[in-house]
């Protein structure tokens, strides 16, 4: 994997207008956390990242790693335990609190002045900072640049109409020589009318 390259793990299904026009609101995402409908969460971490972790890190130390739509991904602690600085963004405050609780990490919280109603949660060790806000509001906060981005389905979860904006934000956060590891899924929603895209990911390895 060369610098600034993208590694894709993808299952192909026919693209349809239904998928292109899918819209899921922020409130619906919050409700999924409240209702425990988080099949996208992987308690043991993602196999793609495990497989390529050493290549992804390239033996470098004290990297800044960004987790878009981080949820309570256990991989955040993997990087922190290796001495890297982790920054994530997640709309669900419940998901963020569950991360710190389940990983047995003490933390503090403070308001984000640039975004009314938003908060940032910081581990007591100082190397994990999770922003509770809309990802598209993040450019209003100076969070710096990143050496690595681990996108475990965030691009999939973003509404299709917002993906260009999402991509622009991701590129704006990268340093020269960055590495971006991306896991994506394409599916045919006409074959799964009762399921949303993130629920389909529950069965994805």
């Amino acid at each position: 994997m060369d610098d600034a390259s993208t590694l894709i793990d993808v299952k192909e299904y026919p693209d349809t207008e239904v998928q292109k026009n899918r819209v899921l609101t922020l409130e619906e995402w919050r409700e999924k956390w409240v209702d425990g409908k988080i099949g996208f969460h992987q308690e043991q971490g993602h196999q793609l990242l495990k497989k390529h972790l050493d290549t992804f890190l390239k033996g470098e130390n004290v990297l800044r790693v960004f987790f878009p739509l981080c949820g309570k991904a256990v991989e955040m602690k993997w990087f922190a335990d290796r001495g890297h600085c982790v920054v994530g963004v997640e709309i669900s405050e419940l998901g963020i609190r569950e991360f710190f609780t389940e990983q047995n990490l003490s933390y503090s919280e403070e308001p984000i002045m640039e975004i009314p109603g938003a908060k940032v949660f910081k581990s007591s060790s100082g190397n994990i900072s999770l922003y509770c806000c809309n990802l598209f509001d993040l450019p209003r906060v100076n969070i710096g640049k990143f050496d690595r981005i681990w996108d475990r389905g965030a691009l999939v979860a973003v509404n299709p109409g917002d993906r260009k904006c999402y991509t622009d934000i991701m590129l704006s956060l990268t340093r020269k020589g960055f590495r971006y590891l991306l896991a994506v899924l394409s599916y045919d929603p006409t074959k799964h009318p009762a399921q949303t895209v993130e629920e389909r990911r529950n069965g994805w390895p």
Side-chain angles (χ1 to χ4, degrees), residues 9-157:
D9 184 22
V10 60
K11 291 183 178 179
E12 292 291 352
Y13 293 90
D15 199 6
T16 69
E17 290 301 316
V18 177
Q19 183 176 357
K20 290 178 181 178
N21 296 328
R22 175 183 58 82
V23 175
L24 197 65
T25 67
L26 296 179
E27 188 54 39
E28 286 174 311
W29 277 111
R30 292 189 184 96
E31 288 175 0
K32 287 183 181 300
W33 282 94
V34 172
D35 296 338
K37 296 179 179 179
I38 53 171
F40 48 85
H41 175 67
Q42 297 189 6
E43 293 184 2
Q44 303 304 316
H46 199 282
Q47 293 301 314
L48 177 66
L49 183 59
K50 286 182 179 179
K51 180 179 179 180
H52 298 283
L53 185 59
D54 290 338
T55 303
F56 186 50
L57 293 176
K58 201 181 174 183
E60 298 182 36
N61 300 315
V62 197
L63 296 169
R64 299 195 78 231
V65 185
F66 183 59
F67 279 68
L69 309 187
C70 62
K72 57 178 181 179
V74 299
E75 298 96 318
M76 292 189 287
K77 192 168 186 297
W78 295 359
F79 287 106
D81 286 347
R82 287 172 173 249
H84 304 297
C85 177
V86 172
V87 175
V89 60
E90 167 59 47
I91 193 62
S92 170
E93 182 173 324
L94 177 60
I96 291 175
R97 292 186 184 278
E98 286 185 0
F99 167 77
F100 285 109
T101 299
E102 292 174 8
Q103 299 302 323
N104 196 29
L105 297 172
S106 58
Y107 64 95
S108 61
E109 61 182 275
E110 58 189 62
I112 302 173
M113 303 310 297
E114 298 89 342
I115 307 174
K119 300 177 181 179
V120 59
F121 295 76
K122 298 181 179 180
S123 64
S124 298
S125 60
N127 61 347
I128 301 177
S129 297
L130 305 184
Y131 289 77
C132 185
C133 64
N134 185 342
L135 181 144
F136 296 107
D137 287 333
L138 203 59
R140 295 155 63 182
V141 183
N142 183 18
I143 63 172
K145 303 285 187 178
F146 295 89
D147 305 290
R148 303 288 188 271
I149 296 178
W150 165 229
D151 185 335
R152 190 269 180 229
L155 179 63
V156 175

Side-chain angles (χ1 to χ4, degrees), residues 180-192:
Y180 190 116
L181 186 58
L182 170 67
V184 296
L185 170 70
S186 179
Y187 82 114
D188 184 349
T190 63
K191 296 180 180 179
H192 309 279

Side-chain angles (χ1 to χ4, degrees), residues 136 155 158-171:
F136 296 107
L155 179 63
V158 169
N159 291 324
D162 295 326
R163 286 175 183 162
K164 174 61 168 62
C165 182
Y166 172 85
T167 302
D168 291 342
I169 291 174
M170 293 302 103
L171 290 175

